[in-house]
Amino acid sequence: MESTRQTKPRIFYTGSPSGQDLDALTDLGDLFARNEPSDLRRAEVLWVDCATTRPERYVPLLGQALSAGQTLVMTHLEPSAHDALEKLVGTRHDAGVTALMVSRDMRASAPSSFVFTVLDAPAPHVTPAPAPAEDASAPARGMEGEWELHTTHLQAPRSQRDWGRQLAAHRAQRSLSVGGPGLIPPQGVMYGVRSLVNHSRTPITYETWPTTKGKTQHFELDYVVSYHVYRENGRPDADYVVIRVQQVTTHPEVLMVDSGDAKGFWQFNLSLSCRCQRDVPFLRTSPDTTTDPLFSVQLPVLLHVKSIQNGSCRAHFWEASHGPVTRATEGWAVSQRYEPTSKQMTWAHGHFAPWDSFDVPPTQVEFPRFVPIIYDGNRVKSLNPLAGATVTVENCAAWRFSAREIAANPKVKFEEFQQQNLVAFANPTGSGTSKKKLRVFNINLDDSLEFNLPQVADDVTSPCR
């Protein structure tokens, strides 16, 4: 964010004058800290330090800010702060979320539309592998020479707490709810939208190869997922339908190693999963499994609604639809996988040509097939250009929740899981040792939101309630 006075946001701060964030805010924006009602009306941002703000102030403060279209920043969240936000917007984050930004999407068609950015930035959790079945020191069977295989699992950090950058990014993305115009229902249909945006920048320092020792590579991932919640008010007992649309973009940096001797780090697989914590089957999902260089995302759902027709409210069927949206992934494929036990749907996007990472994953047991594909003698072959390029993918899913089930328990939790898989490999010359090396990284980023479906979809202004 620029430091000039003209571009500094006007921030209404509530909390102790000695609060942890106050010093940073004096440089970030024009600060109102007197807590006068007129200051709140003049501000663009309401900043609530939950550690030093009285809980009874939460609901009136947050309600005024969100209804006025201000950006809400909440830090040091504790249970009563989560309760207050849930009361206002019908949405709850995990208790581990201690900082977030919230905005009302003023340009959205839904009367109830909010965008969240989670700001927690825990240190990445690193668990070295390999598993016992893939001994890193053991040579691959039937192959000449020795090999080393290492697998490292990283938990991607959430958005780093550079307050200026994050506030500017959130305010730029506040209308970033995804989903086409076909998801906007006719007047009178009750619905709402909740969107979650996130940005992760995961550092990897590779100390094994002399050519890369001490260098750090970053992999960035941006995603936005929007949940469109509809009340089927054309039914006597209103069922609820949730249509989820997600867009994910990966941003690899310039590769540290790109030669005939070594290549790393390259993305070869991006897996995106979702599920709801109810025993409810998926109503529809997209895209399907395909190896086509152009894959399409499309989802239609027929709803029984009541809307304004010829001046009065009438029940009829209306089709909510998203797409078709075409994405180009030349040399990559997408595989849709459903896990019945966990009720989880996964879209695995992966390197397909000239190396099929689905059929021949980079594991010790697959070395006899893997090596001729990747290596030409002692030289590493070229990979598909998307392995080192920015890639955007999309997917969507839908569920229907019965009126009886929601009446018994209106809250439904949705979970999101992203895994970015990277590989680096070299021959003895490129690695500086007598062994051929293979290094695999799995970067994981998880999120969840719990919705009170009737509260999210309720529209007090609808003439067809």
Side-chain angles (χ1 to χ4, degrees):
M1 180 172 294
E2 299 293 336
S3 60
T4 61
R5 184 175 183 85
Q6 288 78 6
T7 59
K8 280 187 174 183
R10 296 187 300 275
I11 301 174
F12 182 89
Y13 171 84
T14 178
S16 169
S18 59
Q20 300 178 40
D21 303 321
L22 199 55
D23 289 342
L25 295 185
T26 56
D27 296 327
L28 178 62
D30 292 332
L31 193 63
F32 301 125
R34 298 188 307 275
N35 292 341
E36 296 291 337
S38 59
D39 289 341
L40 178 58
R41 290 192 295 270
R42 293 165 54 198
E44 300 168 278
V45 177
L46 169 62
W47 196 290
V48 181
D49 177 5
C50 298
T52 58
T53 299
R54 296 193 307 274
E56 62 268 19
R57 299 199 65 201
Y58 288 150
V59 171
L61 274 173
L62 307 186
Q64 290 180 58
L66 293 176
S67 62
Q70 295 167 331
T71 298
L72 170 64
V73 182
M74 301 180 72
T75 60
H76 314 109
L77 281 109
E78 36 76 37
S80 59
H82 282 284
D83 293 342
L85 189 60
E86 181 182 12
K87 182 177 180 180
L88 288 168
V89 301
T91 307
R92 191 179 189 93
H93 296 263
D94 284 338
V97 172
T98 60
L100 57 82
M101 295 181 181
V102 189
S103 291
R104 186 172 185 176
D105 189 346
M106 302 300 288
R107 290 184 290 175
S109 60
S112 176
S113 183
F114 295 93
V115 179
F116 303 88
T117 297
V118 177
L119 294 173
D120 299 84
H125 175 66
V126 181
T127 304
E134 297 181 356
D135 185 357
S137 62
R141 245 181 233 181
M143 301 305 300
E144 296 181 0
E146 294 185 351
W147 295 81
E148 282 187 1
L149 169 66
H150 297 276
T151 303
T152 301
H153 303 282
L154 298 174
Q155 190 67 32
R158 295 182 187 270
S159 302
Q160 301 295 325
R161 292 189 184 182
D162 178 339
W163 293 123
R165 185 176 66 86
Q166 289 303 326
L167 184 58
H170 175 84
R171 297 175 77 193
Q173 293 176 332
R174 60 190 302 183
S175 298
L176 195 60
S177 55
V178 287
L183 294 176
I184 302 174
Q187 183 184 5
V189 178
M190 289 188 284
Y191 84 116
V193 182
R194 296 292 182 270
S195 298
L196 182 64
V197 299
N198 209 329
H199 171 83
S200 70
R201 189 171 188 263
T202 306
I204 300 177
T205 301
Y206 197 167
E207 299 292 347
T208 304
W209 298 346
T211 52
T212 62
K213 188 172 183 178
K215 295 182 180 179
T216 298
Q217 175 85 330
H218 289 87
F219 285 87
E220 300 187 27
L221 183 146
D222 290 294
Y223 82 86
V224 55
V225 56
S226 293
Y227 302 88
H228 303 256
V229 183
Y230 304 87
R231 179 184 176 189
E232 290 193 291
N233 56 345
R235 298 174 180 267
D237 294 321
D239 290 348
Y240 290 84
V241 170
V242 177
I243 297 177
R244 164 199 167 279
V245 181
Q246 181 187 48
Q247 286 183 7
V248 177
T249 301
T250 64
H251 305 276
E253 286 184 346
V254 176
L255 301 179
M256 291 189 297
V257 179
D258 187 4
S259 68
D261 294 330
K263 291 194 183 296
F265 303 90
W266 296 74
Q267 57 186 357
F268 68 91
N269 186 269
L270 175 65
S271 293
L272 309 169
S273 304
C274 68
R275 70 184 180 199
C276 71
Q277 288 191 341
R278 289 285 184 91
D279 190 17
V280 176
F282 285 92
L283 188 61
R284 294 285 176 87
T285 60
S286 183
D288 296 326
T289 298
T290 180
T291 59
D292 195 290
L294 298 176
F295 75 90
S296 181
V297 181
Q298 187 170 15
L299 183 142
V301 177
L302 194 63
L303 305 178
H304 194 190
V305 298
K306 188 187 298 182
S307 65
I308 299 292
Q309 292 187 335
N310 298 323
S312 61
C313 290
R314 298 184 181 182
H316 62 100
F317 286 96
W318 168 75
E319 184 177 78
S321 63
H322 176 67
V325 176
T326 302
R327 297 289 180 183
T329 53
E330 182 74 37
W332 277 45
V334 57
S335 174
Q336 186 191 90
R337 305 166 183 172
Y338 177 64
E339 301 171 18
T341 303
S342 62
K343 298 291 191 296
Q344 180 170 305
M345 187 66 70
T346 298
W347 292 271
H349 298 263
H351 198 289
F352 184 71
W355 163 44
D356 187 344
S357 62
F358 297 104
D359 183 52
V360 189
T363 62
Q364 190 78 22
V365 294
E366 293 294 347
F367 270 162
R369 291 202 297 156
F370 178 83
V371 171
I373 298 173
I374 295 298
Y375 287 89
D376 180 9
N378 274 340
R379 293 181 62 83
V380 180
K381 294 180 181 179
S382 296
L383 293 182
N384 182 278
L386 285 184
T390 296
V391 177
T392 297
V393 296
E394 186 167 335
N395 59 72
C396 51
W399 300 263
R400 174 175 274 115
F401 301 90
S402 70
R404 179 178 299 180
E405 180 181 16
I406 296 304
N409 182 5
K411 297 181 181 180
V412 180
K413 188 174 184 178
F414 295 89
E415 296 175 299
E416 301 288 338
F417 309 94
Q418 292 84 29
Q419 184 179 83
Q420 190 176 13
N421 299 314
L422 316 169
V423 63
F425 26 70
N427 65 26
T429 301
S431 62
T433 73
S434 61
K435 297 179 180 180
K436 294 181 179 179
K437 292 179 177 289
L438 184 71
R439 186 87 178 202
V440 177
F441 286 90
N442 301 321
I443 302 175
N444 297 281
L445 178 64
D446 305 336
D447 263 310
S448 65
L449 281 178
E450 185 178 69
F451 300 154
N452 182 315
L453 295 187
Q455 185 176 351
V456 171
D458 188 27
D459 177 10
V460 296
T461 66
S462 172
C464 300
R465 295 187 67 191

mmCIF file of all heavy atoms in Angstrom, residues 39-64:
data_model
loop_
_atom_site.group_PDB
_atom_site.id
_atom_site.type_symbol
_atom_site.label_atom_id
_atom_site.label_comp_id
_atom_site.label_asym_id
_atom_site.label_seq_id
_atom_site.Cartn_x
_atom_site.Cartn_y
_atom_site.Cartn_z
ATOM 1 N N ASP A 39 -16.533 9.369 13.986
ATOM 2 C CA ASP A 39 -15.332 8.814 13.377
ATOM 3 C C ASP A 39 -15.631 7.498 12.669
ATOM 4 O O ASP A 39 -15.078 7.210 11.603
ATOM 5 C CB ASP A 39 -14.241 8.596 14.439
ATOM 6 C CG ASP A 39 -13.652 9.912 14.933
ATOM 7 O OD1 ASP A 39 -13.811 10.917 14.225
ATOM 8 O OD2 ASP A 39 -13.044 9.920 16.016
ATOM 9 N N LEU A 40 -16.472 6.676 13.271
ATOM 10 C CA LEU A 40 -16.827 5.400 12.645
ATOM 11 C C LEU A 40 -17.509 5.628 11.308
ATOM 12 O O LEU A 40 -17.247 4.925 10.333
ATOM 13 C CB LEU A 40 -17.739 4.590 13.573
ATOM 14 C CG LEU A 40 -18.227 3.241 13.026
ATOM 15 C CD1 LEU A 40 -17.057 2.354 12.663
ATOM 16 C CD2 LEU A 40 -19.135 2.545 14.029
ATOM 17 N N ARG A 41 -18.359 6.659 11.223
ATOM 18 C CA ARG A 41 -19.046 6.937 9.962
ATOM 19 C C ARG A 41 -18.074 7.438 8.900
ATOM 20 O O ARG A 41 -18.272 7.212 7.709
ATOM 21 C CB ARG A 41 -20.161 7.961 10.190
ATOM 22 C CG ARG A 41 -21.346 7.419 10.981
ATOM 23 C CD ARG A 41 -22.521 8.377 10.916
ATOM 24 N NE ARG A 41 -22.232 9.651 11.572
ATOM 25 C CZ ARG A 41 -22.469 9.903 12.855
ATOM 26 N NH1 ARG A 41 -22.984 8.960 13.621
ATOM 27 N NH2 ARG A 41 -22.199 11.080 13.366
ATOM 28 N N ARG A 42 -17.011 8.115 9.307
ATOM 29 C CA ARG A 42 -16.044 8.673 8.353
ATOM 30 C C ARG A 42 -15.018 7.641 7.904
ATOM 31 O O ARG A 42 -14.340 7.836 6.900
ATOM 32 C CB ARG A 42 -15.314 9.852 9.003
ATOM 33 C CG ARG A 42 -16.192 11.052 9.285
ATOM 34 C CD ARG A 42 -15.485 12.000 10.250
ATOM 35 N NE ARG A 42 -14.159 12.381 9.774
ATOM 36 C CZ ARG A 42 -13.220 12.896 10.552
ATOM 37 N NH1 ARG A 42 -13.440 13.042 11.848
ATOM 38 N NH2 ARG A 42 -12.054 13.245 10.045
ATOM 39 N N ALA A 43 -14.865 6.548 8.626
ATOM 40 C CA ALA A 43 -13.795 5.588 8.367
ATOM 41 C C ALA A 43 -14.127 4.672 7.187
ATOM 42 O O ALA A 43 -15.292 4.471 6.836
ATOM 43 C CB ALA A 43 -13.521 4.752 9.614
ATOM 44 N N GLU A 44 -13.076 4.150 6.596
ATOM 45 C CA GLU A 44 -13.215 3.134 5.545
ATOM 46 C C GLU A 44 -12.987 1.732 6.092
ATOM 47 O O GLU A 44 -13.460 0.757 5.525
ATOM 48 C CB GLU A 44 -12.188 3.390 4.432
ATOM 49 C CG GLU A 44 -12.321 4.736 3.751
ATOM 50 C CD GLU A 44 -11.111 5.017 2.889
ATOM 51 O OE1 GLU A 44 -10.081 5.473 3.417
ATOM 52 O OE2 GLU A 44 -11.203 4.768 1.665
ATOM 53 N N VAL A 45 -12.237 1.662 7.186
ATOM 54 C CA VAL A 45 -11.876 0.384 7.795
ATOM 55 C C VAL A 45 -12.195 0.442 9.280
ATOM 56 O O VAL A 45 -11.856 1.427 9.963
ATOM 57 C CB VAL A 45 -10.367 0.083 7.603
ATOM 58 C CG1 VAL A 45 -9.988 -1.226 8.301
ATOM 59 C CG2 VAL A 45 -10.013 0.026 6.124
ATOM 60 N N LEU A 46 -12.869 -0.592 9.787
ATOM 61 C CA LEU A 46 -13.055 -0.757 11.225
ATOM 62 C C LEU A 46 -12.072 -1.821 11.687
ATOM 63 O O LEU A 46 -12.121 -2.962 11.229
ATOM 64 C CB LEU A 46 -14.480 -1.172 11.565
ATOM 65 C CG LEU A 46 -14.698 -1.631 13.021
ATOM 66 C CD1 LEU A 46 -14.396 -0.496 13.991
ATOM 67 C CD2 LEU A 46 -16.111 -2.157 13.224
ATOM 68 N N TRP A 47 -11.179 -1.449 12.588
ATOM 69 C CA TRP A 47 -10.146 -2.365 13.081
ATOM 70 C C TRP A 47 -10.458 -2.685 14.539
ATOM 71 O O TRP A 47 -10.419 -1.808 15.397
ATOM 72 C CB TRP A 47 -8.774 -1.699 12.983
ATOM 73 C CG TRP A 47 -7.632 -2.670 13.106
ATOM 74 C CD1 TRP A 47 -7.235 -3.341 14.218
ATOM 75 C CD2 TRP A 47 -6.744 -3.062 12.048
ATOM 76 N NE1 TRP A 47 -6.158 -4.131 13.940
ATOM 77 C CE2 TRP A 47 -5.832 -3.972 12.616
ATOM 78 C CE3 TRP A 47 -6.626 -2.725 10.709
ATOM 79 C CZ2 TRP A 47 -4.805 -4.556 11.867
ATOM 80 C CZ3 TRP A 47 -5.615 -3.297 9.960
ATOM 81 C CH2 TRP A 47 -4.721 -4.204 10.539
ATOM 82 N N VAL A 48 -10.767 -3.931 14.813
ATOM 83 C CA VAL A 48 -11.158 -4.353 16.152
ATOM 84 C C VAL A 48 -10.058 -5.219 16.753
ATOM 85 O O VAL A 48 -9.777 -6.318 16.245
ATOM 86 C CB VAL A 48 -12.494 -5.131 16.129
ATOM 87 C CG1 VAL A 48 -12.889 -5.531 17.550
ATOM 88 C CG2 VAL A 48 -13.586 -4.295 15.488
ATOM 89 N N ASP A 49 -9.421 -4.727 17.791
ATOM 90 C CA ASP A 49 -8.469 -5.529 18.564
ATOM 91 C C ASP A 49 -9.280 -6.275 19.619
ATOM 92 O O ASP A 49 -9.637 -5.711 20.655
ATOM 93 C CB ASP A 49 -7.426 -4.604 19.205
ATOM 94 C CG ASP A 49 -6.441 -5.366 20.086
ATOM 95 O OD1 ASP A 49 -6.522 -6.616 20.111
ATOM 96 O OD2 ASP A 49 -5.608 -4.731 20.744
ATOM 97 N N CYS A 50 -9.587 -7.546 19.327
ATOM 98 C CA CYS A 50 -10.489 -8.301 20.203
ATOM 99 C C CYS A 50 -9.872 -8.587 21.567
ATOM 100 O O CYS A 50 -10.591 -8.888 22.521
ATOM 101 C CB CYS A 50 -10.886 -9.621 19.530
ATOM 102 S SG CYS A 50 -11.778 -9.395 17.973
ATOM 103 N N ALA A 51 -8.558 -8.471 21.674
ATOM 104 C CA ALA A 51 -7.908 -8.724 22.956
ATOM 105 C C ALA A 51 -8.185 -7.613 23.954
ATOM 106 O O ALA A 51 -8.133 -7.831 25.171
ATOM 107 C CB ALA A 51 -6.400 -8.894 22.762
ATOM 108 N N THR A 52 -8.498 -6.409 23.466
ATOM 109 C CA THR A 52 -8.666 -5.270 24.377
ATOM 110 C C THR A 52 -9.976 -4.524 24.135
ATOM 111 O O THR A 52 -10.125 -3.383 24.571
ATOM 112 C CB THR A 52 -7.473 -4.293 24.231
ATOM 113 O OG1 THR A 52 -7.386 -3.854 22.864
ATOM 114 C CG2 THR A 52 -6.166 -4.953 24.630
ATOM 115 N N THR A 53 -10.922 -5.148 23.416
ATOM 116 C CA THR A 53 -12.235 -4.538 23.182
ATOM 117 C C THR A 53 -13.287 -5.281 23.994
ATOM 118 O O THR A 53 -13.285 -6.516 24.029
ATOM 119 C CB THR A 53 -12.611 -4.584 21.690
ATOM 120 O OG1 THR A 53 -11.644 -3.857 20.942
ATOM 121 C CG2 THR A 53 -13.986 -3.966 21.453
ATOM 122 N N ARG A 54 -14.181 -4.570 24.631
ATOM 123 C CA ARG A 54 -15.209 -5.224 25.436
ATOM 124 C C ARG A 54 -16.158 -6.008 24.530
ATOM 125 O O ARG A 54 -16.661 -5.461 23.528
ATOM 126 C CB ARG A 54 -16.000 -4.193 26.241
ATOM 127 C CG ARG A 54 -15.164 -3.435 27.265
ATOM 128 C CD ARG A 54 -16.056 -2.661 28.243
ATOM 129 N NE ARG A 54 -17.004 -1.806 27.550
ATOM 130 C CZ ARG A 54 -16.741 -0.570 27.140
ATOM 131 N NH1 ARG A 54 -15.530 -0.059 27.332
ATOM 132 N NH2 ARG A 54 -17.670 0.149 26.555
ATOM 133 N N PRO A 55 -16.436 -7.271 24.842
ATOM 134 C CA PRO A 55 -17.286 -8.106 23.969
ATOM 135 C C PRO A 55 -18.652 -7.524 23.681
ATOM 136 O O PRO A 55 -19.193 -7.730 22.601
ATOM 137 C CB PRO A 55 -17.392 -9.420 24.771
ATOM 138 C CG PRO A 55 -16.142 -9.464 25.591
ATOM 139 C CD PRO A 55 -15.870 -8.034 25.963
ATOM 140 N N GLU A 56 -19.229 -6.764 24.620
ATOM 141 C CA GLU A 56 -20.569 -6.218 24.384
ATOM 142 C C GLU A 56 -20.573 -5.167 23.277
ATOM 143 O O GLU A 56 -21.642 -4.793 22.769
ATOM 144 C CB GLU A 56 -21.143 -5.618 25.677
ATOM 145 C CG GLU A 56 -20.356 -4.458 26.254
ATOM 146 C CD GLU A 56 -19.300 -4.904 27.272
ATOM 147 O OE1 GLU A 56 -18.931 -6.100 27.256
ATOM 148 O OE2 GLU A 56 -18.880 -4.066 28.071
ATOM 149 N N ARG A 57 -19.411 -4.684 22.868
ATOM 150 C CA ARG A 57 -19.335 -3.705 21.792
ATOM 151 C C ARG A 57 -19.284 -4.355 20.408
ATOM 152 O O ARG A 57 -19.439 -3.667 19.397
ATOM 153 C CB ARG A 57 -18.094 -2.816 21.965
ATOM 154 C CG ARG A 57 -18.069 -2.000 23.247
ATOM 155 C CD ARG A 57 -17.079 -0.855 23.109
ATOM 156 N NE ARG A 57 -17.521 0.091 22.089
ATOM 157 C CZ ARG A 57 -16.699 0.941 21.469
ATOM 158 N NH1 ARG A 57 -15.410 0.932 21.742
ATOM 159 N NH2 ARG A 57 -17.152 1.781 20.571
ATOM 160 N N TYR A 58 -19.007 -5.662 20.359
ATOM 161 C CA TYR A 58 -18.790 -6.309 19.068
ATOM 162 C C TYR A 58 -19.966 -6.134 18.103
ATOM 163 O O TYR A 58 -19.817 -5.622 16.992
ATOM 164 C CB TYR A 58 -18.534 -7.812 19.256
ATOM 165 C CG TYR A 58 -17.191 -8.154 19.849
ATOM 166 C CD1 TYR A 58 -17.039 -9.295 20.625
ATOM 167 C CD2 TYR A 58 -16.074 -7.357 19.645
ATOM 168 C CE1 TYR A 58 -15.816 -9.639 21.171
ATOM 169 C CE2 TYR A 58 -14.849 -7.678 20.189
ATOM 170 C CZ TYR A 58 -14.726 -8.828 20.958
ATOM 171 O OH TYR A 58 -13.514 -9.159 21.494
ATOM 172 N N VAL A 59 -21.149 -6.586 18.517
ATOM 173 C CA VAL A 59 -22.274 -6.645 17.591
ATOM 174 C C VAL A 59 -22.649 -5.272 17.045
ATOM 175 O O VAL A 59 -22.771 -5.098 15.829
ATOM 176 C CB VAL A 59 -23.479 -7.348 18.234
ATOM 177 C CG1 VAL A 59 -24.716 -7.217 17.341
ATOM 178 C CG2 VAL A 59 -23.163 -8.833 18.462
ATOM 179 N N PRO A 60 -22.832 -4.231 17.885
ATOM 180 C CA PRO A 60 -23.173 -2.921 17.300
ATOM 181 C C PRO A 60 -22.076 -2.367 16.400
ATOM 182 O O PRO A 60 -22.368 -1.794 15.343
ATOM 183 C CB PRO A 60 -23.406 -2.022 18.531
ATOM 184 C CG PRO A 60 -22.780 -2.737 19.675
ATOM 185 C CD PRO A 60 -22.884 -4.186 19.372
ATOM 186 N N LEU A 61 -20.813 -2.538 16.782
ATOM 187 C CA LEU A 61 -19.720 -2.039 15.951
ATOM 188 C C LEU A 61 -19.637 -2.773 14.624
ATOM 189 O O LEU A 61 -19.586 -2.164 13.552
ATOM 190 C CB LEU A 61 -18.389 -2.184 16.699
ATOM 191 C CG LEU A 61 -17.982 -1.058 17.653
ATOM 192 C CD1 LEU A 61 -16.735 -1.460 18.426
ATOM 193 C CD2 LEU A 61 -17.734 0.235 16.895
ATOM 194 N N LEU A 62 -19.629 -4.092 14.695
ATOM 195 C CA LEU A 62 -19.489 -4.881 13.476
ATOM 196 C C LEU A 62 -20.690 -4.677 12.558
ATOM 197 O O LEU A 62 -20.547 -4.590 11.338
ATOM 198 C CB LEU A 62 -19.335 -6.369 13.799
ATOM 199 C CG LEU A 62 -18.234 -6.766 14.797
ATOM 200 C CD1 LEU A 62 -18.118 -8.280 14.895
ATOM 201 C CD2 LEU A 62 -16.901 -6.149 14.419
ATOM 202 N N GLY A 63 -21.870 -4.624 13.137
ATOM 203 C CA GLY A 63 -23.069 -4.443 12.328
ATOM 204 C C GLY A 63 -23.059 -3.130 11.576
ATOM 205 O O GLY A 63 -23.401 -3.072 10.389
ATOM 206 N N GLN A 64 -22.657 -2.042 12.243
ATOM 207 C CA GLN A 64 -22.594 -0.741 11.571
ATOM 208 C C GLN A 64 -21.574 -0.753 10.440
ATOM 209 O O GLN A 64 -21.818 -0.229 9.350
ATOM 210 C CB GLN A 64 -22.217 0.342 12.587
ATOM 211 C CG GLN A 64 -23.274 0.677 13.610
ATOM 212 C CD GLN A 64 -22.806 1.758 14.571
ATOM 213 O OE1 GLN A 64 -22.459 2.854 14.169
ATOM 214 N NE2 GLN A 64 -22.778 1.416 15.848
#
